Amino acid sequence: MEITAFYPGSFGEIVQGKVQDKDLLMSFPINIYTRVRLFECRNPVRYKNLKKSYAFIENIMKLWKYEKYYKDICVNIDSDIPKGKGMASSTADLCAIYGCLLKMFNRNYNEEELLNECIKIEPTDSIMFDNMTLFDYKYGLYRENFGDYIKFNILAFEGKSAVDTLEFNTRVLNDLSNVEDLIPVLRQAIREKNLRKLSYVSTESIVRNRKRLYYDFMDIVFSIYKSTGGIGIIGAHSGNVLGIIYDDMEKMSSAKLKVHSNNLKVYSVQTLDKYSFYKKRRDCFG
């Protein structure tokens, strides 16, 4: 038997920080995907770069009382999501693997099960949920649904260095900044589908947390944002990517043509709205 599933990555966090002493975040799914293929095989090679994936599969098999099948499962991952950049590549891989396992063993989707098993592997992105969710990404003890995902354009600036999420989250880091005052603005932005208010929140969030993860190209991105008609900045707080949010595709395309950098990879992405994301999740989880 062979099963394939796709799942999108995310772009950074609209918000990340402390809310009532909890470390929370909210992310958006984007149109960059991982493709996971699970298939039966004998004596599979457990490649080191797939350590998280095989640990997740083994945990699920134990949970379902199917341990005897684990030794015969192989996984292949073909992902367009940059690794180690804070774009939820691992969360996307695990979600797609879960979708494959559901189909392989004729199981029903269980959000709590997926959440708990992902958290066991590493801190997890909020794109595992079908709505915009403010989420305790380390322990999964708090989540709040804010409404439907919104489509918008992002011009991405990707630095060369990568971040190991597991290692990053064991470092002694500066605390996340308090973002409680941004949450009412975020609720209003989502309710009104107001991209400028949303961009204000994402910009404030990345600026406030600058001491936690330093971007040596932040000033460059801010300069481009202000000179090209962007409406805000969005960033991956545990990665090495910043983006400029645009409410106009032509402005973004024009800005992309003006950017020349040997040190940064520059490309455009789009967030997924509720209809596109629902379809991807339905295809993945059944």
Side-chain angles (χ1 to χ4, degrees):
M1 180 183 291
E2 179 174 315
I3 307 291
T4 300
F6 294 80
Y7 208 84
S10 79
F11 203 100
E13 282 79 42
I14 287 294
V15 68
Q16 183 176 9
K18 285 198 175 295
V19 180
Q20 297 180 354
D21 291 324
K22 302 180 187 72
D23 289 353
L24 306 179
L25 64 74
M26 177 189 289
S27 295
F28 267 77
I30 56 173
N31 60 342
I32 299 179
Y33 302 91
T34 189
R35 175 184 179 271
V36 169
R37 183 170 64 97
L38 287 193
F39 54 99
E40 294 177 277
C41 62
R42 292 185 178 180
N43 302 315
V45 178
R46 308 299 194 193
Y47 292 107
K48 187 177 180 180
N49 66 318
L50 297 176
K51 182 179 179 181
K52 296 176 187 177
S53 299
Y54 278 114
F56 179 83
I57 294 169
E58 185 174 20
N59 289 344
I60 291 284
M61 293 295 91
K62 288 179 180 178
L63 180 67
W64 292 352
K65 311 298 183 187
Y66 293 159
E67 298 99 320
K68 65 181 180 180
Y69 298 112
Y70 171 71
K71 63 181 176 61
D72 297 322
I73 295 177
C74 282
V75 60
N76 176 268
I77 297 178
D78 181 14
S79 181
D80 294 326
I81 307 168
K83 298 290 185 181
K85 304 296 182 178
M87 299 177 77
S89 61
S90 294
T91 299
D93 289 347
L94 298 187
C95 285
I97 288 170
Y98 185 67
C100 288
L101 290 170
L102 293 178
K103 295 167 187 172
M104 184 173 280
F105 293 96
N106 195 28
R107 306 278 297 198
N108 293 323
Y109 172 73
N110 184 316
E111 183 178 275
E112 291 298 321
E113 181 175 79
L114 174 60
L115 168 60
N116 292 334
E117 295 306 317
C118 284
I119 289 285
K120 285 181 185 178
I121 302 301
E122 67 172 7
T124 298
D125 197 276
S126 65
I127 58 164
M128 71 167 52
F129 304 113
D130 59 2
N131 294 96
M132 295 176 64
T133 302
L134 190 63
F135 174 52
D136 166 16
Y137 59 98
K138 291 182 179 178
Y139 308 108
L141 299 177
Y142 177 89
R143 60 188 184 274
E144 181 181 351
N145 181 347
F146 274 50
D148 295 328
Y149 288 109
I150 303 168
K151 181 179 285 189
F152 55 89
N153 306 300
I154 302 171
L155 185 60
F157 298 80
E158 180 185 315
K160 290 185 176 180
S161 63
V163 176
D164 182 311
T165 309
L166 288 174
E167 185 275 331
F168 178 82
N169 282 282
T170 59
R171 290 185 207 168
V172 178
L173 299 166
N174 291 322
D175 284 344
L176 286 166
S177 295
N178 189 292
V179 294
E180 286 190 43
D181 60 307
L182 298 179
I183 303 307
V185 183
L186 180 58
R187 285 197 184 94
Q188 188 178 36
I190 295 168
R191 184 173 64 249
E192 298 173 355
K193 293 184 170 48
N194 188 315
L195 191 53
R196 289 190 176 272
K197 289 180 180 178
L198 196 75
S199 300
Y200 165 77
V201 171
S202 66
T203 304
E204 275 293 301
S205 178
I206 196 69
V207 169
R208 292 185 191 186
N209 285 289
R210 191 171 186 177
K211 290 182 179 179
R212 183 177 172 85
L213 182 64
Y214 178 72
Y215 297 86
D216 57 8
F217 54 93
M218 183 179 281
D219 290 340
I220 296 171
V221 173
F222 262 83
S223 176
I224 296 169
Y225 139 61
K226 291 176 180 178
S227 65
T228 59
I231 59 173
I233 299 293
I234 183 171
H237 294 297
S238 59
N240 196 27
V241 178
L242 290 172
I244 302 174
I245 300 173
Y246 290 89
D247 57 1
D248 185 294
M249 179 71 81
E250 289 187 10
K251 286 181 181 177
M252 184 179 71
S253 298
S254 176
K256 187 177 179 181
L257 292 173
K258 295 176 183 177
V259 175
H260 301 285
S261 174
N262 295 324
N263 297 318
L264 298 172
K265 185 177 180 181
V266 182
Y267 51 92
S268 57
V269 296
Q270 239 183 11
T271 62
L272 302 178
D273 62 18
K274 66 175 183 177
Y275 303 107
S276 299
F277 191 53
Y278 286 173
K279 184 179 185 304
K280 295 298 180 186
R281 284 175 59 82
R282 187 174 63 248
D283 292 345
C284 181
F285 299 136

